[in-house]
Amino acid sequence: MVNSKNILIIGDMPGYGKIGMAAVLPILSNMGHSVYNLPTALVSNNFDYGTFALMDTTQYIGETIQAWQSLGFQFDCITTGFLASADQAELLQSFIRSQRREGLLVVTDPIMGDGGKLYNGSTQETVDNMRRFIGASDVIVPNLTEAEFLTGLYLGRARLTKGEARQLLDGLRACGPRSVVVTSGREEESGRHVVWGFDHRTEEYFTVPYRFIKAHFPGTGDIFTSLLTGQLVKDSTLPQAVGKAVELLERLIFMEQDVAERNNGIRIEQYLSVLTE
């Protein structure tokens, strides 16, 4: 494939369930890219089941980075998701900086919470660590809850005015990332479900509306980030990439909405052909 990229995925790997790497790997591989991985945690299953086991891989990350640096491995794009500790954040931020060169794209999904609250196990320390970590990113993709915790603005709010959304984006930009995408919000003036963004290339704010489908699946944020990344490495503009990612994710949720077992996430392998149409 002429435009194939070397993409490193950093995040949690579940044994059961389509979240984290289990969602991202098949999507980006199906797009024709050479995909590599660095797990931040091995997780028995999706957290939505209530019971799970988790293994922190911080020592492995440190040893792997040393091995890769000695071998001279380099990547065209790095995506990051769940981080298990402050030590991981520090190791990975240093590694990303060592990889920094012209053309490298770093996309960060600062996974910490949703629905107005932090996930179990996430604390204010988690927020502080992630606030520092996103400074090494080209594009960050928090949901509204994560954006509110990172900035300290409008905590618990599900709807924002256009002016408030811009303040939120500016608050995230102050942490250091070049471009910002905030998902899962609602526009106060219109009631629309929207994605808010700021594109550093054009220095423009933008809003992309989407159709809300009342069906919760874990891992949709991971899917959105992988779809967005796939568009960005094709040199789509950020608003174009967000629009395409929204369109494709809507289709996936619509096709899966009547499935009885949702805790497992979207059965992504069944729909890979849809994502390349």
Side-chain angles (χ1 to χ4, degrees):
M1 183 177 177
V2 175
N3 294 319
S4 176
K5 303 292 186 180
N6 286 343
I7 300 179
L8 173 63
I9 301 169
I10 300 173
D12 56 321
M13 173 59 83
Y16 190 94
K18 300 303 178 182
I19 63 168
M21 286 187 186
V24 179
L25 276 165
I27 292 174
L28 290 174
S29 294
N30 187 61
M31 291 178 177
H33 301 296
S34 297
V35 181
Y36 307 91
N37 69 83
L38 184 57
T40 56
L42 301 180
V43 187
S44 59
N45 48 267
N46 295 354
F47 299 159
D48 296 64
Y49 285 105
T51 299
F52 61 89
L54 184 149
M55 178 182 289
D56 183 313
T57 60
T58 303
Q59 180 176 341
Y60 170 77
I61 289 173
E63 293 172 356
T64 297
I65 288 173
Q66 287 182 359
W68 286 358
Q69 289 177 331
S70 70
L71 292 167
F73 292 164
Q74 288 192 314
F75 305 95
D76 302 307
C77 174
I78 299 174
T79 73
T80 72
F82 175 78
L83 303 182
S85 67
D87 289 342
Q88 283 191 4
E90 185 175 342
L91 276 170
L92 291 168
Q93 190 173 53
S94 176
F95 172 67
I96 289 170
R97 286 176 174 152
S98 75
Q99 286 276 313
R100 181 59 73 183
R101 66 189 189 284
E102 184 67 28
L104 176 68
L105 173 67
V106 180
V107 180
T108 297
D109 181 358
I111 297 173
M112 298 183 297
D114 199 5
K117 59 184 180 180
L118 295 174
Y119 293 133
N120 289 337
S122 293
T123 64
Q124 185 57 47
E125 182 182 4
T126 307
V127 176
D128 294 340
N129 292 334
M130 190 61 75
R131 188 180 293 120
R132 290 189 291 270
F133 182 78
I134 60 177
S137 306
D138 296 300
V139 182
I140 62 169
V141 193
N143 61 35
L144 180 57
T145 294
E146 291 157 348
E148 289 173 347
F149 274 98
L150 286 168
T151 62
L153 297 171
Y154 312 117
L155 288 169
R157 294 270 298 277
R159 293 175 180 243
L160 299 180
T161 66
K162 294 177 182 178
E164 289 169 341
R166 181 167 293 199
Q167 286 183 318
L168 190 71
L169 293 169
D170 288 343
L172 291 167
R173 291 172 58 206
C175 297
R178 301 169 75 189
S179 294
V180 178
V181 174
V182 176
T183 68
S184 309
R186 291 193 75 177
E187 194 174 64
E188 182 67 48
E189 292 89 346
S190 65
R192 297 184 304 174
H193 292 267
V194 298
V195 176
W196 292 294
F198 173 83
D199 185 353
H200 84 276
R201 291 185 177 180
T202 60
E203 296 190 351
E204 291 180 347
Y205 298 88
F206 63 90
T207 302
V208 176
Y210 65 88
R211 177 176 52 138
F212 177 73
I213 302 171
K214 195 174 183 180
H216 170 72
F217 291 94
T220 53
D222 301 310
I223 294 173
F224 178 85
T225 299
S226 62
L227 293 171
L228 178 71
T229 301
Q231 294 299 313
L232 290 174
V233 296
K234 293 197 304 185
D235 289 327
S236 296
T237 67
L238 187 58
Q240 288 172 339
V242 170
K244 188 64 175 179
V246 162
E247 173 195 338
L248 292 171
L249 184 56
E250 279 182 6
R251 293 177 67 182
L252 291 178
I253 296 173
F254 179 79
M255 289 185 290
E256 285 281 87
Q257 63 180 324
D258 295 326
V259 173
E261 177 53 84
R262 294 179 182 169
N263 282 344
N264 193 36
I266 291 176
R267 300 169 296 176
I268 193 66
E269 289 84 357
Q270 298 191 28
Y271 302 109
L272 291 175
S273 61
V274 173
L275 302 180
T276 54
E277 289 179 0

